[in-house]
Amino acid sequence: MRVEILCTGNELLDGSVVDTNSAWFEARLFALGEEVAEKRVVPDDLGVIAAAMKEIATRADFCVVSGGLGPTPDDLTMEALALAAGVPLVDHAPTLERLAGWAKSRGRELTPNQARQARVPSGSQVITNEYGTAPHIQMKVGRCHFFLLPGVPREMMPLCDEQVLPVLQKHLETTGRTESYAFTQLRCTNIWEAEMAWVVRDLPKAFPGLRIGTRTTFPENHLKLRASGATPEEANRTLAMAVSAAREKLGTKVFTEGTRSFAQCTLDELRARRWTVALAESCTGGLCAALITEVAGASEVLLGSAVTYTLSAKSRLLGLDAAFIEREGAVSEAVTQAMATAVRKKLGADIGAAITGWAGPGGGTAKDPVGTFYAAIDGPAGSRVVRSEVPLVDRERVRRGAAFAALHLIRQAAIDGTAGRPKQD
Ligand code: ATP
């Protein structure tokens, strides 16, 4: 099965929008045991899009086309497919009716350019797009089954899951593919991508047919695992064994196999211990608290966060001695640890956590250059501080890295039970 992607849009070629649609689709296809043979990005130019489609029609079995289905003059995908297929565009009455109803419900008349979205290549299959206005189109041209999808990711992704992947899956089942595949990914923190790849390097030898890959969305690193087998059950069995071997090697660095955020996983561990947490943040300016409060029910766990950005805020809000801060340095192990202890006591939490750092571009010292941060936690049963330097300094990376480091300390303490005290104390 040869699958290609064709992305349209000037915005993808002038640096204003990153093509995330193809990366997303490639990951979905990989999970099915297939890979995209080729992808192409073309401008909003009718001749160029139609020529690309004609070429793809001669060699691919399937092609996902993203973008250019909207109402504006630069939306040319339907017209291009009609040209490539050598058919006219025709009005699709149900889509026209739906668009008119959509406009009416907003107290508007349907404008002629909006009505353009209902002009589809003659002979194509028109599928209602529940996530937007432009319909989803499928059409066979030459040897290739084309799927036209909107460029907007929040429309493209669910349509693809519901309308495209089932067609590909069915094709694979009916064209005698003898192998079945099972896929998952383990999301990790507090481990470098290279280190993760090294730790699990022997897994493919231990589980024939297993393919592994790594991916970074800083500061998370993801381990992708795809197992194959003669039947779906066999593929699932191999995958389960490989996952458990990978988990054994990676330990608590794996925080989920699913979609929960790192903050959510941290909160779940705290909830299991019935522990509360209080934060004192400097260079992260409340980012750690923001990540935690994205999770519903965070108030059961997070008592509060003090953004103590300046020396005087560290003294006035946390009660740290100004001379001590001057002596140790605002970004230092001692001050970060003292902040964690102070905020824990002030708010009466089981765990206090604190962050200081040089987010850049200014600041830094010879010992702690820009990009350095400290994260600390404190509880009656233990305290810990970590220091890290984020390479290739960029302010956001330092801040995100520091917030995740604090969350990691909190989660690890809750897993180990090495900090904090039982709620009834
Ligand atoms: P609409 O009906 O909203 O106009 P459309 O199918 O015409 O949808 P485009 O106009 O091509 O889609 O793109 C709409 C927006 O979707 C773009 O401005 C861009 O923000 C986003 N987008 C388009 N293509 C991609 C892509 N390949 N990856 C990520 N985002 C994309």
Side-chain angles (χ1 to χ4, degrees):
M1 174 169 89
R2 184 181 168 90
V3 183
E4 296 197 28
I5 303 178
L6 180 64
C7 290
T8 69
N10 292 342
E11 72 276 14
L12 300 173
L13 292 165
D14 65 13
S16 51
V17 172
V18 177
D19 167 26
T20 52
N21 285 351
S22 21
W24 179 88
F25 177 73
E26 284 153 20
R28 281 293 203 267
L29 197 63
F30 182 80
L32 283 186
E34 296 289 320
E35 272 154 63
V36 168
E38 204 168 318
K39 77 174 159 192
R40 215 154 142 181
V41 182
V42 291
D44 297 313
D45 179 309
L46 184 61
V48 176
I49 304 171
M53 285 172 165
K54 275 186 192 157
E55 211 180 302
I56 292 167
T58 64
R59 60 176 189 226
D61 300 300
F62 296 97
C63 178
V64 165
V65 184
S66 143
L69 295 181
T72 53
D74 60 358
D75 290 317
L76 299 162
T77 306
M78 300 265 210
E79 219 173 321
L81 189 66
L83 259 180
V87 297
L89 283 174
V90 293
D91 279 329
H92 184 250
T95 301
L96 209 50
E97 211 172 292
R98 183 169 177 267
L99 290 171
W102 173 84
K104 198 170 167 203
S105 71
R106 284 159 179 78
R108 306 247 169 91
E109 284 287 308
L110 190 68
T111 55
N113 60 339
Q114 279 167 332
R116 267 187 71 212
Q117 294 178 102
R119 305 245 335 130
V120 304
S122 175
S124 62
Q125 190 189 351
V126 184
I127 296 161
T128 306
N129 168 7
E130 303 291 349
Y131 309 95
T133 53
H136 164 52
I137 302 291
Q138 297 193 11
M139 187 176 191
K140 184 134 190 199
V141 182
R143 66 172 274 189
C144 181
H145 187 108
F146 282 88
F147 301 95
L148 307 194
L149 293 157
V152 184
R154 78 184 140 69
E155 294 181 36
M156 182 268 182
M157 294 189 285
L159 273 171
C160 206
D161 275 337
E162 290 161 22
Q163 305 293 346
V164 178
L165 292 165
V167 174
L168 301 184
Q169 174 96 54
K170 188 147 181 238
H171 176 84
L172 290 168
E173 284 163 13
T174 54
T175 50
R177 186 171 78 169
T178 49
E179 280 195 310
S180 293
Y181 293 86
F183 174 83
T184 194
Q185 59 178 355
L186 298 178
R187 289 164 61 201
C188 301
T189 55
N190 205 38
I191 186 167
W192 293 336
E193 188 181 16
E195 193 186 347
M196 184 169 78
W198 178 253
V199 168
V200 298
R201 68 192 180 284
D202 289 335
L203 287 184
K205 269 184 246 153
F207 302 98
L210 180 76
R211 277 192 60 182
I212 58 175
T214 60
R215 179 173 167 261
T216 297
T217 43
F218 184 83
E220 293 180 16
N221 281 304
H222 303 167
L223 177 68
K224 300 191 292 178
L225 300 115
R226 191 180 76 189
S228 58
T231 60
E233 293 72 30
E234 192 183 310
N236 282 327
R237 235 183 352 260
T238 306
L239 185 68
M241 287 190 293
V243 164
S244 109
R247 278 185 178 275
E248 206 163 296
K249 287 174 187 296
L250 293 164
T252 55
K253 297 195 185 310
V254 177
F255 66 90
T256 186
E257 198 179 330
T259 54
R260 285 180 310 153
S261 71
F262 185 46
Q264 179 152 13
C265 293
T266 304
L267 285 197
D268 289 346
E269 297 293 349
L270 286 168
R271 259 195 217 111
R273 292 253 171 214
R274 300 178 58 233
W275 282 356
T276 56
V277 67
L279 306 171
E281 301 188 53
S282 188
C283 66
T284 45
L287 178 61
C288 193
L291 292 171
I292 291 178
T293 53
E294 268 173 19
V295 183
S299 60
E300 285 169 38
V301 171
L302 178 69
L303 298 186
S305 174
V307 179
T308 52
Y309 207 51
T310 58
L311 290 186
S312 80
K314 290 179 182 73
S315 297
R316 287 184 191 188
L317 289 178
L318 299 175
L320 266 54
D321 179 40
F324 162 73
I325 304 174
E326 290 282 358
R327 190 176 66 244
E328 298 292 339
V331 177
S332 64
E333 184 176 325
V335 167
T336 316
Q337 190 65 77
M339 285 165 65
T341 305
V343 81
R344 178 177 70 78
K345 288 186 179 156
K346 290 243 175 226
L347 293 185
D350 296 300
I351 294 184
I355 300 161
T356 63
W358 298 113
T365 62
K367 177 174 167 283
D368 292 324
V370 169
T372 304
F373 64 78
Y374 289 89
I377 57 161
D378 180 62
S383 55
R384 238 191 112 189
V385 61
V386 290
R387 176 188 180 279
S388 190
E389 273 180 50
V390 175
L392 299 174
V393 167
D394 113 33
R395 205 170 159 77
E396 218 27 59
R397 278 174 81 87
V398 180
R399 283 156 44 83
R400 248 184 110 65
F404 267 63
L407 287 175
H408 175 75
L409 284 179
I410 297 168
R411 175 172 168 268
Q412 196 62 49
I415 290 171
D416 299 344
T418 52
R421 61 196 147 77
K423 191 98 181 123
Q424 61 269 24
D425 274 8

